[in-house]
Amino acid sequence: MATGLSLVAGGGIANGPFGERFAEQCSRPAEARPIPGGLGERFALPASPEPTLSELFATHPRDGGATGFLLAQLERGKPLLWVQERMAILEAGRIYPPGIPFADIIHVEARNAQSALWAMEEGLRCAALGAVIGELWGDPKALDFTATRRLAVASEKSGVAAWLVRLGGSPNLSGARMRWRVASVASLANPFDPRAPGAAAWDAELFRARGEAPGRWAVAYDREANHFHLVAAASDRAVGENAQRVA
């Protein structure tokens, strides 16, 4: 493991039957595969036809709810590599693997952005992973167009989706194919308990994408049905089934 990286959780997957399958899959040549189709019957978010690099900017650096928007789009059933830069942990908090709906998570803490980007690129070489996520704070010098372009190419070559979560960063020049700006909004009503929160909801803006028109939507995610819904923004009077895209 490179200097400046710490394996926080997930080391146990190296042992036992799962670890053997994981090592065997990583040793195989990567095959191109389509991204899982259909995020839901009610509403499908724009998505790249092939796994690639996407960026997610939370409108507030400590809006952890935006991570749920990302997780709702990931393929289940495969290990997830999650790399957090040290400053991202100090400013926004460390992930809590038991609260993430994935059976196997490899969590790596990186000393700086350069180490985090290296770990992401190395992880993207392994086609056995479901996705690689990297959390970076601010606008580190190491995160330039060349670095993002390398991640995009590595993701597209291996068929493993890559996400850069930009905390407190600005949308400067990037090689990311899709770039989202996301804010948490009030959850939907709970159908069983009016005092409890219901499905999570977000104000999601796709402000740059290759092959897709920019747009902005108010969406909620139904975990049980595994699909998104269009919902009303707080100031909207009517939405429901006929909700329209907000340009």
Side-chain angles (χ1 to χ4, degrees), residues 195-239:
R195 298 172 296 176
W202 306 273
D203 177 3
E205 178 187 4
L206 179 66
F207 63 90
R208 180 185 179 277
R210 183 176 64 177
E212 293 283 349
R216 184 177 175 184
W217 304 267
V219 295
Y221 179 65
D222 185 337
R223 180 178 297 181
E224 296 298 325
N226 189 31
H227 66 248
F228 285 88
H229 296 273
L230 283 171
V231 298
S235 59
D236 291 341
R237 292 187 176 183
V239 234

Side-chain angles (χ1 to χ4, degrees), residues 1 19 21 51 66 79 164 166 182 186 208 225 228 231:
M1 186 172 295
R21 294 198 307 271
L164 264 177
R166 304 287 307 282
V182 178
R208 180 185 179 277
F228 285 88
V231 298

Side-chain angles (χ1 to χ4, degrees), residues 1 15 25 29 38 45 85 100 110 134 144 156 172-174 178 200-201:
M1 186 172 295
N15 300 317
Q25 291 172 350
L45 288 171
E85 179 200 12
I100 299 175
D144 55 13
E156 291 160 7
N172 40 24
L173 189 63
S174 171
M178 306 191 77

Side-chain angles (χ1 to χ4, degrees), residues 13-14 17-28 126 128:
I13 67 170
F18 176 82
E20 294 174 2
R21 294 198 307 271
F22 182 77
E24 179 185 356
Q25 291 172 350
C26 279
S27 63
R28 297 173 185 169
C126 180

